[in-house]
Amino acid sequence: MSKKAVFVLSGPSGTGKSTIIRRLLEMPDLNIKFSISATSRPPRGEEKDGREYHFLSPEEFDRRIAEGDFVEWEEVYSGTKYGTLRSEVDKMLEAGHNVIMDVDVKGAFNVKDAYGDDCLLMFILPPDMETLEQRLRARNTDSEESLRKRIERARYEIDFAPDFDRRVVNNDLDEAVANVAAIIRGFLVCYE
Ligand code: ADP
Ligand code: 5GP
């Protein structure tokens, strides 16, 4: 069986990562599955346990850290942890699928350390900060406090964009999806 790849999408909250990933999962030629992260935050909006995230209590999250279950984990927002479960990624690679994940910038570099040349880091940029704020507000899933934290963190995250393997601006959604898919296809050529 040929080797499989791990694709990481990072970028500020609200920049469109989940929307882009949903579209990529519908492209059979990419043979990609989404690595569902664990988080200690409660579900937001229509989110369901085991679909967007594995929602763990803070105590359960800490127990899984102690047991070494994470490839990487970060306290992305004060008091809220997010992490990539090793079992989640490995089960998909072993089943012969490529894997895509949505992690913060530090998590992205830790995933690269774990998967090396089998991993490609992509950064999704918003067209500008005003559009980012509009999208977060239009998504209508965050409190004013949560919005403020996300916008504050966006500036910090964008500073890391130059360190990623590829950058894609999500202005027009179809165009951004096409660009990300083309980057993935280009990377996968090496695996055929
Ligand atoms: P992230 O996963 O990066 O936090 P989302 O995928 O949840 O971001 O997108 C945030 C909001 O912006 C959603 O309401 C989504 O429908 C919208 N959105 C995503 N991409 C675009 C785009 N290119 N143009 C307009 N709205 C977009
Ligand atoms: P949200 O609460 O908006 O779903 O996600 C907030 C942030 O957590 C996003 O920047 C997202 O990329 C990041 N994130 C989600 N899952 C993981 C993960 O498993 N590990 C790390 N390090 N960050 C994650």
Side-chain angles (χ1 to χ4, degrees):
M1 190 173 57
S2 60
K3 260 192 332 174
K4 296 297 160 201
V6 174
F7 297 99
V8 177
L9 289 198
S10 283
S13 195
T15 201
K17 301 177 299 291
S18 319
T19 308
I20 292 171
I21 289 174
R22 275 197 294 276
R23 297 271 296 266
L24 297 171
L25 295 175
E26 289 166 5
M27 300 179 175
D29 70 304
L30 301 183
N31 180 25
I32 248 176
K33 299 275 182 199
F34 179 57
S35 164
I36 302 167
S37 293
T39 179
S40 66
R41 76 158 168 75
R44 194 174 61 195
E46 299 294 301
E47 289 177 337
K48 284 204 170 52
D49 186 40
R51 190 177 66 187
E52 285 81 5
Y53 285 106
H54 298 290
F55 293 99
L56 307 182
S57 67
E59 297 72 28
E60 174 75 353
F61 200 104
D62 289 344
R63 189 183 63 72
R64 305 282 305 254
I65 294 173
E67 288 178 1
D69 289 352
F70 290 108
V71 177
E72 62 76 35
W73 66 270
E74 295 291 333
E75 188 167 335
V76 179
Y77 299 106
S78 157
T80 309
K81 292 173 184 153
Y82 297 81
T84 307
L85 291 162
R86 195 180 307 281
S87 57
E88 185 79 25
V89 181
D90 289 350
K91 100 180 159 205
M92 292 189 260
L93 292 175
E94 281 160 19
H97 303 293
N98 300 300
V99 175
I100 194 157
M101 57 179 78
D102 167 354
V103 304
D104 86 310
V105 287
K106 280 201 199 157
F109 300 127
N110 289 330
V111 172
K112 183 85 169 184
D113 284 346
Y115 292 97
D117 291 343
D118 294 331
C119 172
L120 187 75
L121 302 187
M122 291 179 271
F123 195 95
I124 309 299
L125 286 152
D128 50 60
M129 291 304 289
E130 290 69 36
T131 310
L132 180 68
E133 185 167 345
Q134 278 165 16
R135 285 185 191 165
L136 277 171
R137 288 188 183 282
R139 187 166 74 180
N140 206 15
T141 49
D142 292 277
S143 64
E144 201 53 43
E145 165 68 4
S146 164
L147 273 174
R148 196 188 50 72
K149 279 192 190 173
R150 282 170 164 69
I151 291 162
E152 220 166 76
R153 187 166 169 100
R155 299 180 198 281
Y156 160 84
E157 295 221 329
I158 286 172
D159 283 347
F160 289 90
D163 301 327
F164 278 63
D165 298 319
R166 302 279 196 285
R167 286 149 292 281
V168 173
V169 177
N170 180 18
N171 187 10
D172 176 78
L173 179 62
D174 288 343
E175 214 171 279
V177 170
N179 286 339
V180 174
I183 291 169
I184 291 177
R185 288 191 187 102
F187 191 82
L188 289 176
V189 164
C190 320
Y191 283 78
E192 283 163 4

